[in-house]
Amino acid sequence: MLETAQALEGAVAGRAPVEQLRQLLSHLRATLAARPDSAETGPYAEILAAAPHLTRRVRLLVNEHDRLALVIDGLFERLEAGPGRRFAKEVAELLRTLRAHQRRGAQLLHDAYTVDLGGET
């Protein structure tokens, strides 16, 4: 997903044609849609079963997933008005948000499945 977002940012900087930007946004939307977006199914359900104390963090990631989808939809709308500076700034912000989202997801997995055996001083 980050690769597509980075390609989108590069395409915006290179002033790519609107159709190329639209294709990259479509790919990004499809990639996001393929990821788990529910705490009741898939990997998140497994995390909650293994580490119920992480429920709040799972719900935050699920909610953030929904917000990311809305941001991408907003970029489609903005693209129709023409890719200008504001569009470029919003794409850069989306990339920062996606990076942070993936870091939080990776940390959640680490925290869920790493066992602290203790005994260290």
Short mmCIF file of all heavy atoms in Angstrom, two decimals, residues 9 14 18 21 43 48 50 57-58 89-90 99 101 111 113 117-118:
data_model
loop_
_atom_site.label_atom_id
_atom_site.label_comp_id
_atom_site.label_asym_id
_atom_site.label_seq_id
_atom_site.Cartn_x
_atom_site.Cartn_y
_atom_site.Cartn_z
N GLU A 9 2.42 9.98 -4.94
CA GLU A 9 3.10 11.24 -4.59
C GLU A 9 4.10 11.62 -5.67
O GLU A 9 4.20 12.78 -6.06
CB GLU A 9 3.78 11.09 -3.23
CG GLU A 9 4.38 12.39 -2.73
CD GLU A 9 4.99 12.25 -1.35
OE1 GLU A 9 5.75 11.28 -1.12
OE2 GLU A 9 4.70 13.12 -0.51
N GLY A 14 5.58 14.85 -10.42
CA GLY A 14 5.99 14.85 -11.82
C GLY A 14 4.91 15.35 -12.76
O GLY A 14 5.07 15.28 -13.97
N VAL A 18 -3.96 13.25 -15.39
CA VAL A 18 -5.03 12.97 -14.43
C VAL A 18 -5.41 11.50 -14.47
O VAL A 18 -5.67 10.89 -13.43
CB VAL A 18 -6.26 13.87 -14.71
CG1 VAL A 18 -7.47 13.43 -13.90
CG2 VAL A 18 -5.92 15.32 -14.41
N LEU A 21 -3.10 9.50 -12.34
CA LEU A 21 -3.39 9.76 -10.93
C LEU A 21 -4.65 9.01 -10.51
O LEU A 21 -4.69 8.42 -9.42
CB LEU A 21 -3.56 11.26 -10.69
CG LEU A 21 -2.33 12.13 -10.98
CD1 LEU A 21 -2.69 13.60 -10.83
CD2 LEU A 21 -1.16 11.76 -10.11
N PRO A 43 -7.44 -11.03 10.86
CA PRO A 43 -6.30 -10.90 11.77
C PRO A 43 -6.63 -10.15 13.07
O PRO A 43 -6.11 -10.49 14.12
CB PRO A 43 -5.27 -10.12 10.96
CG PRO A 43 -5.67 -10.30 9.54
CD PRO A 43 -7.14 -10.49 9.54
N LEU A 48 -7.28 -10.10 19.01
CA LEU A 48 -8.12 -9.93 20.20
C LEU A 48 -8.26 -11.22 20.98
O LEU A 48 -8.34 -11.19 22.21
CB LEU A 48 -9.49 -9.38 19.80
CG LEU A 48 -9.47 -7.93 19.30
CD1 LEU A 48 -10.86 -7.51 18.85
CD2 LEU A 48 -8.92 -7.00 20.35
N ALA A 50 -5.92 -13.51 21.14
CA ALA A 50 -4.61 -13.75 21.78
C ALA A 50 -4.29 -12.70 22.84
O ALA A 50 -3.60 -12.99 23.81
CB ALA A 50 -3.51 -13.75 20.72
N ARG A 57 -6.72 -0.52 21.06
CA ARG A 57 -5.82 -0.23 19.94
C ARG A 57 -6.33 -0.82 18.63
O ARG A 57 -6.20 -0.21 17.57
CB ARG A 57 -4.41 -0.72 20.26
CG ARG A 57 -3.78 0.19 21.33
CD ARG A 57 -2.45 -0.27 21.82
NE ARG A 57 -1.48 -0.56 20.76
CZ ARG A 57 -0.38 -1.27 20.96
NH1 ARG A 57 -0.11 -1.76 22.17
NH2 ARG A 57 0.45 -1.50 19.99
N VAL A 58 -6.94 -2.01 18.70
CA VAL A 58 -7.52 -2.60 17.49
C VAL A 58 -8.64 -1.72 16.98
O VAL A 58 -8.72 -1.41 15.79
CB VAL A 58 -8.02 -4.04 17.77
CG1 VAL A 58 -8.91 -4.54 16.64
CG2 VAL A 58 -6.85 -4.98 17.99
N LYS A 89 -0.60 18.47 -1.53
CA LYS A 89 -0.45 18.51 -0.07
C LYS A 89 -1.27 17.41 0.58
O LYS A 89 -0.82 16.76 1.54
CB LYS A 89 -0.87 19.88 0.47
CG LYS A 89 0.11 20.99 0.14
CD LYS A 89 -0.42 22.33 0.57
CE LYS A 89 0.07 22.61 1.96
NZ LYS A 89 -0.24 23.99 2.40
N GLU A 90 -2.46 17.18 0.07
CA GLU A 90 -3.31 16.13 0.64
C GLU A 90 -2.75 14.74 0.38
O GLU A 90 -2.85 13.86 1.23
CB GLU A 90 -4.74 16.27 0.11
CG GLU A 90 -5.44 17.49 0.67
CD GLU A 90 -6.85 17.69 0.12
OE1 GLU A 90 -7.37 16.80 -0.59
OE2 GLU A 90 -7.43 18.76 0.39
N ARG A 99 1.86 5.78 6.57
CA ARG A 99 3.08 5.29 7.23
C ARG A 99 2.84 5.10 8.73
O ARG A 99 3.22 4.07 9.30
CB ARG A 99 4.23 6.25 7.00
CG ARG A 99 4.83 6.16 5.63
CD ARG A 99 6.03 7.09 5.51
NE ARG A 99 6.60 6.98 4.19
CZ ARG A 99 6.93 8.01 3.43
NH1 ARG A 99 6.76 9.25 3.86
NH2 ARG A 99 7.44 7.82 2.23
N HIS A 101 -0.03 4.68 10.21
CA HIS A 101 -1.01 3.60 10.38
C HIS A 101 -0.32 2.24 10.31
O HIS A 101 -0.58 1.36 11.15
CB HIS A 101 -2.07 3.72 9.28
CG HIS A 101 -3.12 2.67 9.31
ND1 HIS A 101 -4.11 2.62 10.25
CD2 HIS A 101 -3.35 1.62 8.48
CE1 HIS A 101 -4.90 1.59 10.02
NE2 HIS A 101 -4.45 0.96 8.95
N ASP A 111 3.18 -6.37 19.87
CA ASP A 111 2.70 -6.39 21.25
C ASP A 111 1.77 -7.58 21.52
O ASP A 111 1.74 -8.11 22.63
CB ASP A 111 1.99 -5.09 21.59
CG ASP A 111 2.92 -3.90 21.61
OD1 ASP A 111 4.16 -4.11 21.59
OD2 ASP A 111 2.43 -2.76 21.62
N TYR A 113 1.88 -10.61 20.03
CA TYR A 113 2.48 -11.94 19.92
C TYR A 113 3.87 -12.07 20.53
O TYR A 113 4.44 -13.15 20.51
CB TYR A 113 2.50 -12.38 18.45
CG TYR A 113 1.10 -12.54 17.90
CD1 TYR A 113 0.62 -11.67 16.94
CD2 TYR A 113 0.27 -13.54 18.36
CE1 TYR A 113 -0.67 -11.80 16.43
CE2 TYR A 113 -1.00 -13.69 17.87
CZ TYR A 113 -1.48 -12.82 16.91
OH TYR A 113 -2.74 -12.95 16.43
N LEU A 117 8.99 -12.83 28.97
CA LEU A 117 9.23 -13.90 29.94
C LEU A 117 9.72 -13.37 31.28
O LEU A 117 9.79 -14.11 32.25
CB LEU A 117 10.26 -14.90 29.36
CG LEU A 117 9.80 -15.59 28.09
CD1 LEU A 117 10.92 -16.48 27.57
CD2 LEU A 117 8.54 -16.41 28.32
N GLY A 118 10.04 -12.09 31.31
CA GLY A 118 10.49 -11.49 32.57
C GLY A 118 11.83 -12.03 33.00
O GLY A 118 12.54 -12.69 32.27
#
